[in-house]
Amino acid sequence: MKCPACFNELCQMTVGQLTVDVCRGGCGGIWFDAFELPRVDEPQESAGEWLLNIELDPSLQINYTRKRSCPKCADIKLKRHYFSAKRRVEVDLCPGCGGYWLDAGELERIRDEMGDTARQKEVQAVNQTRVSASVLRYIYQMKAAARDASA
Ligand SMILES: [Zn+2]
Ligand SMILES: [Zn+2]
């Protein structure tokens, strides 16, 4: 698959049960298939720091205003979509396959947003140095909520 942002070849990475396609050495974005996140079940399972530290090319110029095509669906354009009701983080969602694209840094912002939520709901502090399975579950729940809202 080609990166929707910079057309670099995406490379598949697996952590635990989760497989994502990342733009390593390109723009550093991450592609999530629609069915990838529900497989992350174990709260203690970490998806790893690597999701936040994908090697990227700092000299790369990305045009963020250009319409992007879904890397999986031949002729469907991705839609910019607020990730949660907090309307802080926008991601690129495919209306065709339900997959979505996070630009470099967006996962971190989602994690921060989740950290805020967790601080309201839980006494336990969120581990700020890595992306845990609970962050990914949060992403999935937000996505499910967004889908329900638009249905
Ligand atoms: Zn890229
Ligand atoms: Zn698609």
Side-chain angles (χ1 to χ4, degrees), residues 42-86:
E42 292 300 313
Q44 59 275 63
E45 185 187 347
S46 170
E49 271 179 62
W50 60 266
L51 276 174
L52 293 175
N53 294 299
I54 294 163
E55 216 181 297
L56 52 82
D57 180 356
S59 64
L60 202 67
Q61 299 286 324
I62 305 290
N63 180 358
Y64 289 101
T65 60
R66 187 182 56 78
K67 282 269 181 199
R68 295 166 176 178
S69 301
C70 176
K72 300 199 100 170
C73 311
D75 41 38
I76 296 185
K77 298 276 189 232
L78 299 177
K79 284 192 164 40
R80 291 300 283 176
H81 188 94
Y82 278 109
F83 202 74
S84 75
K86 293 186 179 179

Side-chain angles (χ1 to χ4, degrees), residues 36 38 59 62 81 93 104 127 137 142 145:
E36 280 171 344
S59 64
I62 305 290
H81 188 94
L93 197 71
N127 185 334
R137 198 165 29 248
M142 289 302 108

Side-chain angles (χ1 to χ4, degrees), residues 93-107:
L93 197 71
C94 176
C97 64
Y100 56 101
W101 177 257
L102 300 187
D103 284 314
E106 286 179 342
L107 182 62

Side-chain angles (χ1 to χ4, degrees), residues 3-8 10 23 26-29 60 62 101:
C3 172
C6 74
F7 308 107
N8 181 35
L10 295 177
C23 185
C27 64
L60 202 67
I62 305 290
W101 177 257

